Structures are given as structure tokens and as C-alpha cells.
Amino acid sequence: EDGVDVDIFSGDKDLMQLITPLGNKPSVHMIDPMHFDRVDHDDVVKKWGVSSEKLGDVLALAGDAADNIPGVPGIGPKIAQQLINEYGTLSNVITQAENVKQKKRRENLIEHAEKVSDRWTLPLF
């Protein structure tokens, strides 16, 4: 309960990963600078289909040209969200890629696993 509530004034979807679920203290929300709307955890789930802490996994799978994240060919945000919801985490999707039913999706996940897994193995400076 110590700390201060934080409002991040940004439209950068990457920062949505920092948003906390309602009721957390201290809390983190975003303010969209274009419309001055407050973005909370429920908004992230509504838009991306996953909780804020799993958004980075969705973006890693789907790719993000603006941030030079290649993603997996043939996997967009909706499929990435489905995979994260089914397997729980990006690392689980990668390690269990052979269990994915759709042949082309499975092949792409296996072929591009190293490129995607770099997202969660980068050293912090």
C-alpha cells in the first residue's frame, strides 16, 4: 500500500504492459494524449484479449514494425492472443510449439522460435 498511484501520459502501446489491475495499490494507468482518456487494465484486456502483464508476449508473437520486432509470420494480434491464452506465456508457446494443431502455424513457430524467444532473453543493462 505504500507508494503513489501513477498515470503515464502516452499513447505507446508498449507502456500498457505497466498498467496494473484495478484494486492494486499503488496503481498504474495511462492517459491517452490524443483523447485524454484514461486507460486501465480492463481496457487493455478489452483491446488485446490478455492482461497487461502478457501484452509483451502477444506483441512478440505478432510482431511490431514500429519497434522493429519481427514476430512470427502468419501470426497477428488475434492469433497471438489466442496462443497466449491457451499456453499461458510466450515461453510456453515456444516450448510447446509442436502441440499447435495448425500445421503452418506450428511450422512457423518452430522455425522462428529463436527470433521470438530473444524477446524474453535479452540482458538488462
Side-chain angles (χ1 to χ4, degrees), residues 32-94:
D32 177 352
M34 297 295 284
H35 304 99
F36 295 97
D37 293 330
R38 190 172 202 194
V39 180
D40 64 22
H41 188 263
D42 289 344
D43 295 323
V44 175
V45 173
K46 185 176 178 182
K47 179 174 177 138
W48 294 97
V50 296
S51 60
S52 55
E53 65 267 9
K54 294 184 179 185
L55 180 57
D57 290 352
V58 168
L59 295 174
L61 281 171
D64 186 356
D67 290 326
N68 200 26
I69 298 172
V72 175
I75 295 183
K78 293 290 183 197
I79 299 300
Q81 168 248 301
Q82 292 170 0
L83 289 167
I84 295 303
N85 283 329
E86 182 175 348
Y87 293 94
T89 64
L90 175 61
S91 61
N92 287 346
V93 171
I94 297 304

Side-chain angles (χ1 to χ4, degrees), residues 7 14 28 33 59 62 70 75 84-85 87 98 105 117 121 123 125:
D7 284 320
D14 298 325
V28 177
L59 295 174
I75 295 183
I84 295 303
N85 283 329
Y87 293 94
E98 69 277 355
R105 192 174 298 160
S117 65
T121 57
F125 296 97

